[in-house]
Amino acid sequence: MSQDRIYSQPHSAVKDFAFDEQVADVFNDMINRSVPGYTTILHTLGKLAPRFAKSGSKIYDLGCSLGAASLAIKRSVDIEGVELIAVDSSEAMVSRARRQLEAYKGKVQVSVQQADIRDIDIQDASLVVLNFTLQFLPPEDRDALIQKIHDGLRPGGLLLLSEKLVFEDNAINDLLCELHWDFKRDNGYSELEIAQKRTAIENVMRPDSPEKHLARLAKAGFGHSQFWYQCYNFASLLAIK
Ligand code: GEK
């Protein structure tokens, strides 16, 4: 696995973060060292997917990156007739995800599509995964995506939504940010790497508050929603139609 050294040297001007070839090459290392709970969430997805996947239905992995969530689904769902659609707008991610997902033989049929998740149809879904993707959409487009997911789910279907959070209480927000930076330091990132990554990502990734997520899910019509996991300012929610 290639190590993420992208921000280890001083950049004269830090460009906005993009999911390009350079990022795709080190993405597995980057997300594991940067996102507290990432492996726990994928492990739990492996427990949820067989409970919700139904023969004759579709599963969507939106913003699939290298396909880690799709792989967790493929590994855990052992029934025929499930179609898994993994979508990402980055060509660098999609080509790698295709290779990784083709290499694992399972019962679930997978197609990896390069598309903007705002433009795709969602129909007859038993499970939709948004694992750290919604935060990259312009805030004004988020309600419509959640509504489209709700409308495309079968009754009883599940949305797994994982996100970085921002907290309205500044004291809490600052403390949880500090703990996240400690997590990155403990995983070998230098102060320069942490600072330059912050600059690169601040225009690209705009997190919502826990209250905002719950209100959006309720407004879309989800009858049941709950945070099931949180570590510092990273969390995951379940929403059932
Ligand atoms: C995982 N879910 O490993 N349409 C399609 N893809 C998009 C869009 C969009 N509008 N915006 C961003 N992306 C993965 C991790 S990473 C999270 C998801 C992170 C894609 C983008 O190209 C990237 O691959 C992914 O969303 C976000 O379980 O890097 O923190």
Side-chain angles (χ1 to χ4, degrees), residues 50-179:
R51 286 180 158 82
F52 284 87
K54 298 277 180 288
S55 192
S57 76
K58 297 185 174 67
I59 296 180
Y60 294 84
D61 177 10
L62 305 180
C64 64
S65 298
L66 300 180
S70 291
L71 196 58
I73 294 165
K74 233 185 150 180
R75 284 205 165 110
S76 61
V77 174
D78 197 29
I79 54 172
E80 305 281 354
V82 178
E83 190 185 342
L84 170 55
I85 299 147
V87 184
D88 204 288
S89 51
S90 153
E91 192 188 343
M93 293 293 191
V94 164
S95 58
R96 287 163 180 78
R98 262 191 204 123
R99 253 184 277 138
Q100 157 149 292
L101 288 163
E102 274 166 15
Y104 185 87
K105 304 288 171 224
K107 290 197 179 146
V108 174
Q109 234 194 294
V110 186
S111 67
V112 184
Q113 300 177 4
Q114 188 187 351
D116 191 309
I117 56 175
R118 290 169 293 185
D119 299 334
I120 62 159
D121 280 341
I122 298 183
Q123 281 171 11
D124 208 16
S126 50
L127 172 63
V128 177
V129 177
L130 266 179
N131 202 31
F132 301 106
T133 302
L134 189 66
Q135 60 201 11
F136 290 102
L137 247 54
E140 62 275 17
D141 293 345
R142 296 178 189 177
D143 286 7
L145 179 70
I146 295 295
Q147 189 66 61
K148 178 168 75 173
I149 291 170
H150 171 271
D151 296 349
L153 273 166
R154 291 179 171 186
L158 177 76
L159 166 63
L160 177 76
L161 170 62
S162 311
E163 289 274 289
K164 187 176 187 184
L165 298 174
V166 66
F167 297 87
E168 283 158 15
D169 181 321
N170 287 333
I172 294 293
N173 196 59
D174 291 352
L175 181 57
L176 296 181
C177 285
E178 287 291 343
L179 287 171

Side-chain angles (χ1 to χ4, degrees), residues 1-5 28-39 178-191 193-194 231-232 234:
M1 175 163 74
S2 311
Q3 206 192 358
D4 170 23
R5 308 274 301 146
N28 198 19
D29 178 64
M30 173 185 285
I31 196 154
N32 274 290
R33 288 202 290 142
S34 307
V35 174
Y38 179 69
T39 27
E178 287 291 343
L179 287 171
H180 175 226
W181 299 326
D182 275 348
F183 172 88
K184 295 187 73 165
R185 287 178 191 112
D186 289 349
N187 285 332
Y189 282 115
S190 67
E191 298 308 316
E193 286 177 297
I194 293 171
C231 183
Y232 316 136
F234 289 79

